[in-house]
Amino acid sequence: MSPGSVTEILHFFVAEYTPAMKVGEGGGVVEEQENIEVLEYPFQRALGMIKEGEIKDAKTIMLLQYAEINRLLDPVPSPQSISL
C-alpha cells in the first residue's frame, strides 16, 4: 500500500466464525490464478509476529490492531459471572 501513488480502496470485513463453518483449506478462482492460503495463529502470537517483523503486510497489521483495540477476542462473560 502506498497512499502517495495508489488510489486503491479497501473494505475490511470482520466477523466471528467457528471451525464448523470452514468449508475448505483455502481457495481462489482458478481462472484468475488466485491461490488463497489460510493461516491461523493464536491471537497473541500474531500480535508478537508484528513486533518481530514476521507480519509486514499493512492490511493484516491494521486488522490485528483493530481486533486488539476493540477487544474482539476477549472472552464474553457468562451472565452468572457479571457482578453489579
Side-chain angles (χ1 to χ4, degrees):
M1 293 177 26
S2 176
S5 65
V6 177
T7 58
E8 175 180 51
I9 296 174
L10 300 172
H11 300 273
F12 297 120
F13 178 77
V14 178
E16 186 175 347
Y17 76 96
T18 66
M21 295 174 179
K22 192 173 182 179
V23 296
E25 295 300 316
V29 179
V30 176
E31 299 83 42
E32 295 185 14
Q33 299 175 342
E34 293 178 325
N35 182 17
I36 299 171
E37 180 183 8
V38 177
L39 302 173
E40 294 186 67
Y41 295 102
F43 185 59
Q44 292 302 316
R45 170 129 198 288
L47 292 175
M49 292 171 75
I50 295 171
K51 284 183 179 179
E52 299 299 320
E54 294 175 71
I55 295 178
K56 299 175 184 175
D57 175 67
K59 297 177 293 298
T60 303
I61 292 170
M62 282 190 284
L63 284 168
L64 287 168
Q65 289 178 336
Y66 176 86
E68 177 74 356
I69 290 166
N70 291 283
R71 303 176 68 152
L72 297 182
L73 296 169
D74 285 359
V76 176
S78 65
Q80 296 92 8
S81 67
I82 297 175
S83 59
L84 302 174

